[in-house]
């Protein structure tokens, strides 16, 4: 740190990005896919592709959802009903069954157990034997819950990495004094300089997005990372804070009375909510807490997309009498509105299809930015060993570890994503714990790729894994057509752009990975044909590390 300020920022940029880069790559991949999580879920349920649903009024759809739940989940703790929208033509329902007494010595599950179902809003019937899947929701949760660990630990880890990411972005801006000029510069086949140009271009192309998504990601969990203000203002009463900050959620914590009672009709309550919110308002979600109980509560929320904020207004009704209990979010305070807008920017529920596509492309740019940054460190570090290897030296453990982690993350993670989609189509529909089986396939594929990458971090391993990812993604449209989904031609002709878009994006990703594999193989072939003096053991090791 004895150099000048800019050199110090370059050191900070390098290490703040490298130390958490592999976690950030996972976060970027999962978060980017989450912009289309509803479309991904729809693709992963091919039984819904050919179901022609005609639009029906919201009140009719809601009543059909209630009728279905009364038959199939009358004793559940809560019903979550998502009404049809432009992105989701069916009615989606989730419910959590009441917990049963556990055998002695059995631990309670770490996460709440939910069941789900989709029904046709026109008929109120299910779409045949539609497969169970977490779909895009798993990828969304993965980018901040990391799945195989307690959620609180995962969110601390992701938040810590996001803070490092923010430091890396700001220090990178300071470091590159010609940052905008360098954006228009790319020098291929120049080794380290080419990687730096690629890193600069992908960073500057979506710089406002990178700053926004990193900062707002931290803000979404700010009460966990910086709880001291709320602890001081509420004297440590977390329940009081949550009741004031999230009034709609607090209504769901009502304890049942244990006395049966008929549930109030939904259509009059929904009409009252629309009238309260004004012309053009649509209902997005209905939550029923303690259905068929004397202390039932019905919460009606407005559909997303009306404004930037993620906090949509809601109305709470007595679930038996239908009397209005509370209105929430009509006039939020400045702090609540600011937090809602920042969270809304992060999840982008306000955006139309074109805006989500721009967010998605920017997210892919973030993936490439992180990947090229990790690779750039390896290229620069490898040059330090060039002279030593000519005299029989060895590559250091740190460089070999980084090379292995780069293969595991950058080449292995696409294999895991593609395997998740393939498992969705190839696993038997009736297999027990099907959603978890799909997730297990995701992590199993990634584990195999990671172990192979760490054991043999060579150019050949890059070539193998990139080609595997390319084939799996490029073949996705064919997989869809052969396993009951609407093929690309039918999807485009029928206006099923959720299905067609997924197939086309997968095809594009497959081509991109294939191009990367071809480029790696071409460089390997060029290295073989290039005349070279007799190599020592150390120089052979350097070639393997490449």
């Amino acid at each position: 740190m004895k150099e000048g300020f800019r050199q110090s920022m370059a050191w900070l940029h390098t290490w703040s990005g490298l130390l958490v880069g592999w976690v950030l790559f996972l976060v970027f991949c999962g978060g980017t896919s989450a912009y289309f999580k509803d479309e991904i879920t729809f693709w992963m349920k091919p039984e819904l592709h050919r179901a022609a649903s005609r639009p029906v009024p919201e009140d009719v759809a809601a009543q059909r959802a209630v009728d279905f739940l009364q038959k199939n989940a009358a004793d559940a703790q809560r019903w979550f009903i998502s009404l049809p929208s432009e992105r989701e033509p069916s009615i989606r329902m989730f419910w959590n069954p009441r917990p049963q007494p556990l055998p002695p010595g059995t631990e309670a599950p770490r996460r709440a157990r939910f069941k789900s179902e989709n029904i046709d809003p026109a008929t109120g019937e299910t779409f045949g034997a539609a497969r169970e899947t977490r779909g895009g929701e798993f990828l969304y949760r993965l980018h901040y819950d990391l799945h195989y660990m307690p959620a609180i630990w995962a969110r601390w880890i992701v938040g810590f990495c996001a803070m490092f990411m923010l430091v890396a972005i700001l220090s990178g801006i300071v470091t590159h004094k010609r940052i905008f000029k360098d954006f228009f510069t790319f020098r291929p086949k120049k080794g380290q300089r080419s990687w730096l140009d690629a890193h600069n271009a992908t960073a500057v192309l979506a710089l406002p997005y990178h700053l926004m998504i990193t900062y707002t990601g931290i803000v979404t969990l700010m009460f966990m990372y910086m709880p001291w203000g709320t602890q001081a203002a509420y004297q440590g009463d977390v329940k009081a804070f949550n009741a004031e900050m999230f009034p709609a959620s607090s209504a769901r914590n009502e304890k049942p009375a244990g006395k049966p009672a008929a549930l109030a009709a939904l259509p009059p309550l929904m009409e009252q909510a629309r009238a309260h919110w004004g012309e053009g308002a649509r209902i997005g979600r209905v939550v029923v807490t303690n259905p068929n109980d004397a202390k039932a509560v019905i919460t009606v929320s407005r559909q997303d997309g009306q404004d930037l904020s993620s906090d949509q207004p809601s109305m709470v009704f007595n679930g038996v009498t239908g009397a209005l209990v509370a209105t929430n979010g009509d006039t939020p305070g400045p702090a609540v509105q600011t937090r809602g807008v920042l969270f809304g920017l992060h999840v982008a529920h306000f955006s139309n299809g074109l805006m989500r596509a721009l967010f998605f492309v920017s997210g892919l740019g973030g993936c490439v930015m992180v990947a090229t940054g990790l690779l750039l460190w390896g290229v620069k570090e490898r040059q330090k060993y060039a002279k030593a290897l000519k005299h029989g030296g060895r590559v250091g453990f740190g460089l070999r570890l980084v090379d292995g982690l780069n293969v595991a993350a950058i080449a292995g993670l696409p294999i895991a994503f593609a395997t998740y989609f393939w498992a969705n189509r190839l696993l038997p529909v009736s297999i027990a714990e099907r959603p978890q089986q799909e997730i297990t396939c995701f992590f199993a594929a990634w584990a195999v790729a990671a172990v192979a990458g760490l054991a043999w971090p060579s150019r050949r391993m890059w070539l193998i894994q990139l080609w595997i990812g390319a084939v799996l993604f490029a073949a996705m449209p064919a997989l869809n057509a052969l396993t009951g989904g609407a093929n690309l031609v039918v999807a485009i002709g029928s206006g099923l752009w959720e299905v067609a878009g997924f197939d086309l994006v997968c095809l594009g990703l497959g081509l991109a990975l294939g191009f990367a594999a071809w480029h790696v193989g071409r460089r390997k072939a060029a290295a073989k044909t290039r005349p070279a003096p007799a190599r020592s053991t150390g120089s052979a090791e350097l070639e393997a590390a490449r």
Side-chain angles (χ1 to χ4, degrees):
M1 300 294 287
K2 295 181 181 180
E3 302 89 348
F5 177 70
R6 195 180 298 278
Q7 288 74 23
S8 298
M9 289 296 101
W11 178 90
L12 181 62
H13 177 73
T14 297
W15 289 103
S16 60
L18 177 69
L19 293 177
V20 298
W22 303 283
V23 178
L24 288 175
F25 188 75
L26 169 64
V27 170
F28 259 100
C29 289
T32 299
S33 66
Y35 288 127
F36 291 98
K37 66 185 182 73
D38 291 342
E39 289 78 4
I40 291 173
T41 302
F42 185 74
W43 185 92
M44 294 178 73
K45 292 188 175 184
E47 296 81 8
L48 308 185
H49 295 182
R50 301 181 187 278
S53 298
R54 62 182 185 274
V56 299
E58 291 177 343
D59 297 357
V60 175
Q63 190 57 53
R64 283 179 175 152
V66 170
D67 293 342
F68 177 88
L69 290 167
Q70 289 286 22
K71 293 179 182 178
N72 297 277
D75 60 343
Q77 288 181 299
R78 295 179 190 86
W79 298 340
F80 299 87
I81 304 171
S82 294
L83 297 178
S85 66
E86 295 178 356
R87 299 178 63 188
E88 176 55 73
S90 64
I91 303 173
R92 286 190 302 163
M93 297 168 295
F94 299 86
W95 64 92
N96 50 337
R98 295 192 182 278
Q100 301 298 320
L102 296 173
T106 304
E107 293 185 3
R110 213 166 17 90
R111 300 173 191 264
R113 294 280 184 177
F114 283 87
K115 293 186 177 181
S116 64
E117 189 59 84
N118 290 61
I119 63 172
D120 188 334
T123 64
E125 301 296 329
T126 60
F127 295 95
R131 66 196 65 199
E132 292 187 64
T133 179
R134 289 283 303 278
E137 187 68 20
F138 161 68
L139 302 177
Y140 168 66
R141 294 279 178 178
L142 177 67
H143 97 283
Y144 65 91
D145 271 0
L146 305 181
H147 195 70
Y148 281 122
M149 63 173 59
I152 188 70
W153 293 9
R155 295 176 189 188
W156 270 108
I157 291 172
V158 171
F160 180 81
C161 294
M163 294 174 197
F164 267 60
M165 175 74 175
L166 192 60
V167 170
I169 292 174
L170 296 175
S171 58
I173 294 172
V174 174
T175 299
H176 298 96
K177 60 182 178 181
R178 300 190 310 167
I179 187 169
F180 291 104
K181 182 178 179 180
D182 288 345
F183 168 66
F184 298 99
T185 303
F186 181 72
R187 288 152 286 194
K189 302 180 181 179
K190 297 294 183 181
Q192 177 181 332
R193 174 55 61 181
S194 298
W195 286 114
L196 181 59
D197 288 345
H199 184 65
N200 287 341
T202 53
V204 178
L205 176 66
L207 180 59
Y209 170 84
H210 299 324
L211 283 168
M212 178 276 294
I213 206 69
T214 305
Y215 178 71
T216 56
I218 297 172
V219 168
T220 58
L221 297 172
M222 62 182 180
F223 298 120
M224 187 179 76
Y225 302 141
M226 302 179 68
W228 308 288
T230 56
Q231 289 176 354
Y234 291 85
Q235 288 78 47
D237 191 345
V238 178
K239 291 184 178 180
F241 166 73
N242 287 334
E244 186 174 342
M245 184 70 187
F246 310 106
S249 298
S250 64
R252 302 171 193 167
N253 296 325
E254 184 74 25
K255 300 297 182 183
K259 298 179 181 179
L263 189 68
L266 282 186
L269 310 185
M270 297 171 63
E271 180 59 35
Q272 185 176 345
R274 284 192 293 266
H276 178 76
W277 292 325
E279 185 178 357
R282 296 185 62 185
I283 309 299
R285 193 181 217 197
V286 177
V287 179
V288 181
T289 304
N290 305 323
N292 304 310
D293 186 85
K295 285 193 174 182
V297 178
I298 299 175
T299 304
V300 179
S301 301
R302 194 176 69 179
Q303 191 177 84
D304 288 325
Q306 305 294 319
D307 50 38
L308 284 176
S309 178
S310 63
D311 297 329
Q312 296 299 322
S314 62
M315 299 181 69
V316 182
F317 300 91
N318 184 297
V320 177
T321 65
L324 178 64
V325 175
T327 58
N328 304 314
D330 290 341
T331 55
V336 173
Q337 182 73 357
T338 300
R339 186 255 178 199
V341 168
L342 291 175
F343 190 19
L345 283 171
H346 190 80
V347 297
H349 287 171
F350 65 88
S351 57
N352 56 25
L354 177 59
M355 181 63 73
R356 282 197 303 277
L358 291 175
F359 271 64
F360 181 80
V361 171
S362 298
L364 289 180
C367 297
V368 176
M369 175 188 67
V370 174
T372 53
L374 293 170
L375 292 169
L376 179 61
W377 186 90
V379 171
K380 292 172 64 176
E381 192 69 14
R382 192 171 293 113
Q383 292 178 354
K384 299 177 182 179
Y385 288 94
K387 292 183 180 179
L389 289 173
K390 290 180 180 179
H391 298 87
R394 300 182 64 85
V395 171
F397 172 77
L399 175 58
R400 187 174 180 83
L401 177 62
V402 169
D403 282 342
L405 290 173
N406 284 346
V407 178
I410 301 170
L413 195 56
I415 294 175
F417 272 73
T419 301
Y420 178 59
F421 300 134
W422 277 75
N424 168 260
R425 293 307 183 87
L426 298 182
L427 288 175
V429 174
S430 59
I431 190 173
E433 300 290 333
R434 195 177 194 283
Q436 184 55 47
Q437 296 289 348
E438 293 176 358
I439 295 171
T440 300
C441 290
F442 174 97
F443 284 105
W446 193 16
V448 171
V451 170
L454 288 167
W456 301 283
S458 62
R459 189 185 295 272
R460 182 179 295 276
M461 183 54 63
W462 275 104
L463 191 64
I464 293 171
Q465 295 203 18
L466 286 173
W467 272 123
I468 291 174
V471 171
L472 290 176
F473 269 110
M476 207 72 70
L479 173 71
N480 178 38
L482 294 173
T483 53
N487 64 58
L488 194 55
V489 175
V490 171
I492 294 175
S494 304
L496 289 174
W497 292 108
E498 306 94 330
V499 179
F502 183 95
D503 282 351
L504 291 173
V505 168
C506 286
L507 182 59
L509 291 173
L511 293 175
L513 290 169
F515 174 78
W518 171 81
H519 184 69
V520 170
R522 187 174 174 222
R523 287 176 61 87
K524 182 178 180 180
K528 286 183 177 180
T529 58
R530 188 183 305 123
R535 300 190 304 179
S536 64
T537 304
S539 60
E541 188 174 17
L542 176 62
E543 181 62 30
R546 289 175 179 171

